[in-house]
Each structure stands twice: as C-alpha cells, then as structure tokens.
Amino acid sequence: MSIAGTAHATSDVGEEVWSPRQISTERLYDGSALRHRYADGNSVITVVAPADAQVAFSGSMRSTTMADGRRSYDRAISVTKRRTLNRLHTATAYGAAGRSVYSDALAAGMSQSRAQLYATSQGKAALDTPPITDSWCAYSEDVEPDPKFEWSGCGLYYEVQFAGDTAYAAHSGTAHGWGTGVLGGGKELQKGYISTEHTNWNPSPAAFDIVEASPSSSTNGPSTCTNFNIGLSQFVELGFSVPLCSDGWDVTWNRTFHKVEWHGDSTGGSSDSRSAGGAHTLRSAPIDGSSWSTSFRIGWTYACFGC
C-alpha cells in the first residue's frame, strides 16, 4: 500500500544505505500533490509527486574506488503509485487542480527554461497526445559553493484508452543531467537512466503486459548530439523528442519493465547535458476495478575526488 509523503532507502543487508534527510513536505494545488525537499550533503533534492504516492531512495553510501582514485556513487529515486482501472475520465481533475508538467517542474525548483523543456517535449507532441492524468518531477543540484552537478526528470501517466473491452495505459518520462568534471572539486556525471516497472495486483499477470515501447532496443548516437524521436502509435498515439549523444542508449524491455540508460561522461557543465527518454503502452485486463502499482525511477552514477 502506498504511503503519502514518506521516503525510505533500500540496499543490501548490512550496508549503509543512501538516505537523504527530509527537510519539509508541503501540499500543493488542491492537496492532490506534495512537494518533498531533502538534503544530501551539498545537494538539495526536491520531488513533486501525487499525494497518494510513495517516494523512495536507493543506493549505498559506500563508493566504488576507480583506478585513478576517483570515487563512484550510484543513486536512484523512485515514485510508486497504485492505480485502479475504471472508465472515468480523470484528466479533467488533473487540470482543474492547476497541475501540469510545467507547473510540477517549476514547483520542483527547475528554471522556467528547464520546466518548459519538459512540458514541450512531452506535453505538446506531434501526434495526438492523450490527456495527462498524473505527473511527477524531481530536481537535484549542488548549491554550495557553486552548482557543480545537476540532474532532473519528469514522468507522466496518460488517461487510460479503451479499445473495445481492452484498456491501454501510456507512460513516458525524460531525464537530463550534467557534471563539471572532477578537476577543481567538481563531479563527473557518468551515466543515468529512467525506468518504469509495473506490479500486478489483480487480475492474473497473463492479461497484463507492455505491448509497445520506444525506444525498443539499444542504439548508438550520431557523432554529435541530435534529437531522437520517441513515439507510440499502435494503440496510443504519443510522440516527443530528446537529445541523443554519441554514447547512445541501452534499453531493457520486457512484459512489465522498460528502462532506458544513457552512458558517457558529462564534464562540461550545463552545455554538456546528457538525456534519457522513453515511453511505453501497458495493456490491462478488461475488468473494472483491476489494479496495479507503477514505479517510475530516475537513477544516475557520478564520480569525484575526495567526496
């Protein structure tokens, strides 16, 4: 069962877990969303998520020491929400509460230009985008003495579409991050990912699977960064684009899990941003009241000296 406004960390037994200290929780809009703020050393992490969702952190405080003495850390944050299948139109309530991808991104602390990037790439698609019924956004930056590392991301859930008695739920997400390099005490962003995992509650797993995903396989990028189109068209129409650099993406896709991971060091600050993006369609059984939980996660790996 999801617990509103809580956070916990998970890791191997006996290992000190990464667990940012929660600073505050604040209700937004009509109370349908919460803004959580956490402190993690010199970083501040802000998450805007549905009020009935669970926020969780994963990763270890223990670093991996690299050959040149750099310390590498893995981090991830996820938002999990249980959903119930019905034929009611729920996008109206989302908009009536004053929520949008743009407003959630601003509430998470992003600049207007960064918030607009998320809103434009996912909210104004070339295809006939289905109405958005839920979103969550996360933003983290080093604040003292100067920003040396940044990551952010937003996930979206779209109104369920019916084809006869079969229901299709669309999901999408993008994430961006950059580092300034390890020289001078900065951080090097090494890789990052977005993933969505669905856990079945009712009915049986045989009638519950991801039937279309984009990107659907691993891919290499061009010699320089350029836009990569992501789209769904078989059951739900959805399309947007995100930058893809020469490092490319690794994609994992099965019946209940879709993950897009980018590789390659970012050391040039905000002008050297790396991105991951993806979307998929989940087919569910034609039974009103069927339920499942959806966990959307952003993860990243960074390296630094003496941190």
Side-chain angles (χ1 to χ4, degrees), residues 10-25:
T10 58
S11 187
D12 295 335
V13 176
E15 189 173 334
E16 187 179 1
V17 298
W18 177 57
S19 183
R21 176 176 58 88
Q22 187 159 10
I23 302 172
S24 63
T25 295

Side-chain angles (χ1 to χ4, degrees), residues 117-133:
L117 184 152
Y118 284 109
T120 302
S121 65
Q122 299 186 88
K124 299 191 180 299
L127 299 175
D128 184 16
T129 306
I132 298 171
T133 63

Side-chain angles (χ1 to χ4, degrees), residues 91-294:
T92 302
Y94 175 81
R99 295 189 65 190
S100 67
V101 187
Y102 180 72
S103 62
D104 280 359
L106 285 179
M110 299 182 206
S111 65
Q112 290 186 349
S113 60
R114 178 54 60 92
Q116 189 62 49
L117 184 152
Y118 284 109
T120 302
S121 65
Q122 299 186 88
K124 299 191 180 299
L127 299 175
D128 184 16
T129 306
I132 298 171
T133 63
D134 231 334
S135 64
W136 77 275
C137 293
Y139 174 63
S140 175
E141 66 170 338
D142 281 357
V143 294
E144 292 183 6
D146 296 307
K148 296 185 174 66
F149 174 74
E150 180 179 308
W151 62 265
S152 61
C154 290
L156 283 78
Y157 178 81
Y158 301 88
E159 190 165 82
V160 172
Q161 308 289 303
F162 285 89
D165 289 330
T166 304
Y168 299 93
H171 303 256
S172 73
T174 57
H176 303 269
W178 52 262
T180 53
V182 297
L183 299 179
K187 295 179 180 179
E188 176 182 275
L189 191 62
Q190 298 177 303
K191 66 179 180 180
Y193 67 86
I194 63 165
S195 68
T196 307
E197 184 171 14
H198 305 282
T199 303
N200 209 34
W201 289 67
N202 176 42
S204 64
F208 178 92
D209 55 357
I210 296 175
V211 293
E212 183 183 13
S214 178
S216 59
S217 60
S218 301
T219 180
N220 292 322
S223 58
T224 58
C225 296
T226 188
N227 285 338
F228 181 88
N229 293 323
I230 293 173
L232 303 175
S233 60
Q234 293 184 25
F235 305 98
V236 176
E237 290 191 333
L238 173 67
F240 59 95
S241 63
V242 295
L244 173 64
C245 299
S246 57
D247 309 297
W249 290 333
D250 287 339
V251 176
T252 303
W253 169 26
N254 57 38
R255 294 180 58 252
T256 60
F257 182 76
H258 184 219
K259 177 180 180 181
V260 182
E261 181 177 270
W262 53 261
H263 296 262
D265 301 336
S266 171
T267 60
S270 58
S271 62
D272 187 28
S273 178
R274 296 292 189 266
S275 302
H280 65 265
T281 303
L282 180 73
R283 179 175 59 196
S284 187
I287 301 175
D288 283 354
S290 299
S291 61
W292 66 90
S293 63
T294 298

